[in-house]
Amino acid sequence: IDGREYVWFNGYYDNKGSRVEGEVYESIRMTLTGQVFPIMSMLANEEEIKQVVDSVDKLLKDKNLSGIRLNTDFKLTHYLNLGRAFGFAYGTKENGSFFSHMNVMYAYGLYSRGFAHEGYKILKSIYEMCMDTDRSKIYPGIPEYFDSLGRGMYHYLTGSASWFVLTKLTQSFGMRGEKGDLIINPKLVKEEFGDKGIASITTKFAGKKITVEFVNKEKLDYGDYNIAEVKLNGSKIDFERIDPNCIRISRSIILKEETSCKFTVILS
């Protein structure tokens, strides 16, 4: 879709077979869902992802709350040909609210395609909306959605927390399993390393508690650092290098350890 100098994907056709997204009756119609799945499914190429990011920032990002809305205002009181969601007022539930799980999935998609800075901004926006308790009026956690006032709604009805943890673990920290081995492929941005240049995460792998500590003394940003060295419980270990910033550690190395494992990953 090419509308008013911005380019994005059409995600829907309604019950009448009409294309939903684009410029309709002088209003711009865009959905976040229509952008997430082309990115996650590898359909979108790098240039198209850049165009989508620009379009999302311009058309779906709220100027006051800084979060990303699920869709633009279609300027219709009811649009039931697109489903019950569009019987709600704009900014409520699936009609233009800040829908947490789709925001997290958008971040996941961006990370998975190498757009770490953009993914980080999305996760950070969710965190900041949650922590703005004067507006969100919720206890710590991630609600199903935020309304137009920034209030967290349906705090008990959300899978977003698990998606958020999955994204931080497997994409931001780059920790995941592959054919039984441990893959380490960090996509941390420099803000995440703190004053000491260290970021760490603890999880379970191969039945053992493992902690991975990323040491970035030079405080380099994502794209500027590579994995230089890895230690396990203080001793340097061998690993398979997949690319400069992605390595594979054999499961057998982890299983040999009698206690929990602490990996120290030196970035330079």
Side-chain angles (χ1 to χ4, degrees), residues 51-193:
Q51 292 174 322
V52 163
V53 169
D54 287 342
S55 299
V56 169
D57 285 349
K58 174 64 177 180
L59 301 174
L60 296 179
K61 186 174 182 179
D62 188 271
K63 294 180 180 179
N64 297 318
L65 299 174
S66 298
I68 306 297
R69 290 184 179 271
L70 195 56
N71 55 272
T72 56
D73 188 352
F74 288 1
K75 307 295 184 182
L76 291 173
T77 304
H78 294 92
Y79 187 15
L80 297 182
N81 279 321
L82 192 55
R84 63 180 288 276
F86 288 83
F88 296 116
Y90 182 69
T92 307
K93 299 199 178 211
E94 290 89 350
N95 184 11
S97 72
F98 304 88
F99 223 74
S100 297
H101 85 260
M102 194 53 61
N103 270 262
V104 178
M105 291 171 74
Y106 179 48
Y108 183 97
L110 291 171
Y111 271 114
S112 69
R113 301 298 301 277
F115 288 77
H117 295 93
E118 292 80 359
Y120 170 74
K121 289 178 182 177
I122 300 301
L123 294 185
K124 185 179 179 183
S125 72
I126 298 171
Y127 172 78
E128 289 178 343
M129 288 186 73
C130 290
M131 296 305 293
D132 185 1
T133 53
D134 286 342
R135 283 177 168 166
S136 65
K137 302 185 187 301
I138 57 174
Y139 291 114
I142 302 177
E144 182 187 38
Y145 71 91
F146 298 90
D147 65 16
S148 292
L149 298 176
R151 182 168 182 174
M153 307 295 286
Y154 291 86
H155 205 32
Y156 59 88
L157 181 63
T158 171
S160 308
S162 57
W163 263 100
F164 197 107
V165 171
L166 179 74
T167 302
K168 289 301 294 183
L169 176 65
T170 66
Q171 297 299 319
S172 180
F173 281 90
M175 305 282 299
R176 62 183 185 274
E178 186 176 284
K179 298 181 179 179
D181 297 330
L182 177 64
I183 301 296
I184 300 180
N185 180 205
K187 298 171 185 173
L188 297 158
V189 300
K190 63 181 179 181
E191 295 97 314
E192 296 179 275
F193 288 98

Side-chain angles (χ1 to χ4, degrees), residues 149-262:
L149 298 176
R151 182 168 182 174
M153 307 295 286
Y154 291 86
H155 205 32
Y156 59 88
L157 181 63
T158 171
S160 308
S162 57
W163 263 100
F164 197 107
V165 171
L166 179 74
T167 302
K168 289 301 294 183
L169 176 65
T170 66
Q171 297 299 319
S172 180
F173 281 90
M175 305 282 299
R176 62 183 185 274
E178 186 176 284
K179 298 181 179 179
D181 297 330
L182 177 64
I183 301 296
I184 300 180
N185 180 205
K187 298 171 185 173
L188 297 158
V189 300
K190 63 181 179 181
E191 295 97 314
E192 296 179 275
F193 288 98
D195 295 336
K196 296 182 179 180
I198 294 175
S200 66
I201 190 168
T202 299
T203 186
K204 293 196 72 174
F205 188 84
K208 294 184 181 292
K209 179 181 178 181
I210 66 169
T211 297
V212 181
E213 182 178 77
F214 295 94
V215 181
N216 180 11
K217 293 298 185 182
E218 301 171 73
K219 297 184 180 179
L220 300 172
D221 205 353
Y222 172 72
D224 297 328
Y225 60 72
N226 294 314
I227 296 175
E229 181 181 316
V230 180
K231 295 180 180 180
L232 172 56
N233 293 335
S235 299
K236 189 175 179 179
I237 62 169
D238 295 326
F239 54 81
E240 176 190 346
R241 188 177 294 279
I242 299 173
D243 66 39
N245 196 43
C246 182
I247 64 171
R248 179 193 302 272
I249 297 175
S250 173
R251 186 184 188 88
S252 61
I253 292 176
I254 299 172
L255 292 177
K256 287 178 183 178
E257 296 297 311
E258 296 181 359
T259 60
S260 59
C261 301
K262 180 180 180 182

